Amino acid sequence: METSLSTHDVTPSATLEAAPSQTDLTAGVFSQRGQLPAVTSLVLIAPLALLLGWAFFMPIAKLLFQSISTPTWTLEHYSRLIHEPLYMRIIMRTVLISLSTTLAALLLGYPIAVLMTRAKGLMAGLVAACVLVPLWTSVLVRSYAWIVLLRRNGIINNALREWGLIDQPLSLLYTEGAVLVAMIHVLLPFMILPIYSTLINISPDLTKAALNLGASEARAFRTVTLPLSLPGVFAGCLMVFVLALGFYITPALVGGPRTLMIATLISQQATAFLNWPFAGAISLVLLLLSLGITIAFKRLLRIERMVTGV
Amino acid sequence: MFPQRRRVALTEGFSWRATRLGIGMFCTAVLIFLILPTLLVVPMSFSATSYLRFPPSGFSLQWYHEYFKDPEWVSATLFSLRIACLTMLASTVIGTMAALALVRGRVPGRETINALLLAPLIVPHIIVAIAVYLQFAPLRLTGTTVGFVLIHSALAVPYVVIIVSVGLTRIDFSLEMAALNLGASRLRAFLEVTMPLIMPAIAAGAVFAFLASFDETIVSFYISGVENKTVTRKLFEDIDFDLSPVIAAVSTIFVVVTIGLALLGRLVKTRTGETTAV
């Protein structure tokens, strides 16, 4: 439908890197290819550096510093995190839920991405709307919808009772299952769009060639389309997994206090127990997980891009 | 796209058709799963009953009426709009300046800056929220317009830098060179030649910055005051506290506003692509 569904909707890093460098013949006359002088450049970028430095990087650095310097130089907050089984269980639960979310999003999202490349006309518009409308709807609104669906006298329980399938309402809300379903729903578009943007760039001629050479459509898909779409699959999985790790709103509203995840644990330690250094220690763990995985996978993504030439 | 499909379908017969039917049903189910929660909220906001049920019975605008006459909702909405407008202004100016420096200027450590710029998009917002609270609380910046605009601009500015940078690399640089050749000053060449060309990118960046602020929930939750709270904070509190259909009405307004703006941003961005594609 629209090729404007470009990668910089979902992977801003890729477009920054893909930006071609300016090489202009007439430019030599002016200061090195018409570049802005160093002083002007610095003046132009200074407000950004000040803003991000003061309002973003400095607070985070302070928070992390607190975790090793309060009350004195100590690693007690980290040893508490490691030795208390409850906290390790929450970290394991978060990783597990994030992995399940990623896997489920991949299984549900891939066929939809394929459908988006093949649908035409009204159908294409409908499919795009189904993917983009949730993406643009606030996570708050969507969590609200899930609560209305899943609570004790919610829509699902009422429907099941009216059909005579159950006598007592099921407790669906405030369970790990509820968190998982709501998270898959919120993160699914982040899986579909990167896969779609690699699929749309695969030349249909390649599939045609495979079919002409006698492959079945299933085999053509398995040996041609699927391998070529792997960079999008990696990008989608990376994005969904990292977003899932740090997810706050959905676990807080749909999971309740019984289904704590790393993000809700940080919030609980900071606001309910005012234990800021410990919250800082958990933040470092979450930060290392998110950044570590992003950096590790980013390298993999680049290698993929070089290999496939996409 | 695949004219061979029919032939394959004929030769493989029933099993292929069954598979296609299965895939079609699976895709339909997933699409319904995706759109259902959003579609649920809208009819509920027009229901005549005070408890939430589906399908809603009767039609009334009472929940919208309640929203507009509740001073708490109205002041939260106005506060959110003010923050979002100021954030849009600040991050568009700062982001455009930085994009110019990054694309056209000589900046030491450009790669590092580009990487650091992505941090606000990657770092989980809960960490930003408590870190910023710790920084702002002693300075009495929590619950103030300045505090909100500062942190929301920090979170929104990467979108502007990325979108404007792409816009800048797509335009024909020799046009600005020609202006300089003809004796225009650098500033005048920028204002009269480059600026109009990248205007669609700047506008798209501005829309995304507005959305990033208006939609931001977690940091706003932490740094809201008793007086000054954003509509997202009010929504969060009310969803957690009681599920009155007013929330469905607010959610519907929220959905309409965000989708409208996102479509606008996309439209402007698409136009950028068309007008600057060489």
Side-chain angles (χ1 to χ4, degrees):
Chain A
M1 172 219 174
E2 37 180 353
T3 45
S4 69
L5 243 177
S6 59
T7 41
H8 62 260
D9 272 330
V10 276
T11 47
S13 56
T15 33
L16 267 191
E17 283 149 17
S21 59
Q22 291 289 340
T23 42
D24 198 285
L25 286 176
T26 60
V29 186
F30 298 91
S31 62
Q32 293 179 1
R33 294 204 203 100
Q35 278 186 334
L36 293 168
V39 179
T40 320
S41 308
L42 284 179
V43 170
L44 284 172
I45 208 161
L48 178 84
L50 283 174
L51 176 70
L52 282 184
W54 189 81
F56 184 82
F57 288 109
M58 197 165 103
I60 292 173
K62 264 192 189 162
L63 174 73
L64 300 180
F65 183 70
Q66 260 204 16
S67 72
I68 52 165
S69 66
T70 312
T72 53
W73 289 104
T74 175
L75 284 176
E76 66 171 287
H77 305 294
Y78 291 93
S79 81
R80 187 175 160 213
L81 190 59
I82 292 167
H83 289 115
E84 200 119 349
L86 171 70
Y87 301 130
M88 286 320 278
R89 212 160 55 225
I90 292 172
I91 293 175
M92 287 313 293
R93 174 193 292 149
T94 310
V95 172
L96 216 62
I97 288 185
S98 304
L99 279 176
S100 319
T101 306
T102 311
L103 192 67
L106 178 61
L107 293 178
L108 299 179
Y110 199 99
I112 300 296
V114 175
L115 184 66
M116 279 176 84
T117 59
R118 299 194 181 179
K120 291 194 179 69
L122 181 69
M123 186 64 188
L126 267 177
V127 175
C130 284
V131 175
L132 293 177
V133 166
L135 181 68
W136 294 333
T137 308
S138 166
V139 179
L140 274 174
V141 174
R142 286 185 281 166
S143 300
Y144 168 71
W146 282 111
I147 293 174
V148 172
L149 271 167
L150 295 174
R151 68 204 180 113
R152 281 187 82 78
N153 52 353
I155 292 163
I156 290 180
N157 266 322
N158 281 351
L160 288 177
R161 247 185 312 181
E162 265 169 43
W163 296 336
L165 291 174
I166 50 167
D167 299 323
Q168 292 298 311
L170 307 168
S171 38
L172 302 168
L173 196 59
Y174 307 131
T175 59
E176 268 182 42
V179 176
L180 194 60
V181 170
M183 278 180 61
I184 293 168
H185 180 260
V186 171
L187 294 173
L188 196 46
F190 293 98
M191 179 68 82
I192 296 174
L193 292 176
I195 298 178
Y196 168 77
S197 58
T198 46
L199 281 176
I200 202 80
N201 283 321
I202 299 173
S203 164
D205 292 344
L206 293 174
T207 309
K208 276 183 204 164
L211 292 173
N212 276 337
L213 291 170
S216 67
E217 184 144 349
R219 181 145 183 233
F221 176 79
R222 204 176 62 233
T223 52
V224 177
T225 313
L226 190 64
L228 285 176
S229 68
L230 283 183
V233 170
F234 281 129
C237 288
L238 166 71
M239 182 128 17
V240 170
F241 186 69
V242 170
L243 286 173
L245 279 179
F247 232 52
Y248 177 76
I249 300 172
T250 306
L253 289 172
V254 180
R258 273 190 300 149
T259 325
L260 281 179
M261 288 180 53
I262 298 182
T264 38
L265 177 67
I266 293 173
S267 159
Q268 187 202 51
Q269 290 296 326
T271 47
F273 303 123
L274 299 176
N275 195 344
W276 297 93
F278 189 51
I282 314 167
S283 298
L284 182 69
V285 172
L286 176 56
L287 205 59
L288 287 179
L289 274 174
S290 320
L291 290 183
I293 290 164
T294 312
I295 292 163
F297 267 78
K298 235 188 135 195
R299 196 159 297 160
L300 193 70
L301 280 175
R302 266 201 212 122
I303 293 167
E304 279 302 317
R305 209 167 286 160
M306 277 193 292
V307 172
T308 59
V310 173
Chain B
M1 193 183 277
F2 299 96
Q4 284 80 359
R5 189 184 291 156
R6 192 160 295 139
R7 200 180 65 211
V8 174
L10 280 176
T11 51
E12 292 188 2
F14 175 73
S15 74
W16 172 243
R17 233 177 303 157
T19 316
R20 285 202 62 170
L21 190 70
I23 294 174
M25 276 165 62
F26 178 79
C27 284
T28 314
V30 176
L31 289 177
I32 290 173
F33 168 69
L34 270 169
I35 200 75
L36 189 72
T38 318
L39 283 190
L40 214 65
V41 172
V42 180
M44 279 190 322
S45 70
F46 295 106
S47 88
T49 49
S50 65
Y51 57 95
L52 292 164
R53 53 170 299 179
F54 197 89
S57 48
F59 174 89
S60 88
L61 288 174
Q62 57 172 317
W63 308 115
Y64 288 89
H65 187 70
E66 205 156 299
Y67 163 71
F68 282 110
K69 75 167 202 254
D70 184 341
E72 257 195 66
W73 277 116
V74 171
S75 71
T77 309
L78 291 177
F79 185 68
S80 274
L81 285 175
R82 190 166 80 214
I83 301 297
C85 287
L86 290 170
T87 298
M88 178 176 79
L89 205 69
S91 50
T92 306
V93 172
I94 294 172
T96 305
M97 284 165 63
L100 269 175
L102 285 170
V103 176
R104 289 284 170 77
R106 259 174 293 173
V107 184
R110 190 193 314 259
E111 288 300 305
T112 318
I113 296 173
N114 279 342
L116 286 177
L117 203 58
L118 298 177
L121 309 179
I122 297 169
V123 175
H125 274 198
I126 184 69
I127 298 177
V128 183
I130 63 170
V132 165
Y133 177 82
L134 277 182
Q135 170 108 323
F136 281 11
L139 300 169
R140 294 178 187 281
L141 274 173
T142 52
T144 64
T145 307
V146 178
F148 269 102
V149 174
L150 274 172
I151 183 57
H152 278 186
S153 299
L155 293 176
V157 82
Y159 295 106
V160 181
V161 180
I162 290 164
I163 295 172
V164 176
S165 294
V166 172
L168 270 173
T169 52
R170 278 189 191 165
I171 63 169
D172 191 352
F173 190 36
S174 51
L175 292 173
E176 193 176 330
M177 282 294 136
L180 289 176
N181 253 338
L182 293 168
S185 68
R186 217 173 243 290
L187 185 67
R188 189 158 170 225
F190 172 74
L191 288 179
E192 290 188 15
V193 177
T194 311
M195 182 92 155
L197 284 172
I198 58 167
M199 209 53 208
I202 296 177
V207 173
F208 279 97
F210 182 94
L211 265 182
S213 165
F214 191 71
D215 198 40
E216 205 290 320
T217 308
I218 305 170
V219 180
S220 302
F221 186 84
Y222 267 80
I223 64 167
S224 281
V226 184
E227 298 256 309
N228 287 332
K229 60 169 77 159
T230 60
V231 74
T232 47
R233 157 104 193 201
K234 173 90 176 122
L235 258 175
F236 196 109
E237 283 173 354
D238 282 30
I239 291 173
D240 218 13
F241 179 65
D242 79 322
L243 286 171
S244 141
V246 182
I247 301 172
V250 182
S251 298
T252 305
I253 297 175
F254 221 87
V255 169
V256 171
V257 170
T258 28
I259 291 180
L261 281 175
L263 282 176
L264 184 74
R266 162 142 294 179
L267 200 76
V268 179
K269 229 168 61 180
T270 317
R271 266 196 50 210
T272 329
E274 279 166 10
T275 50
T276 58
V278 187

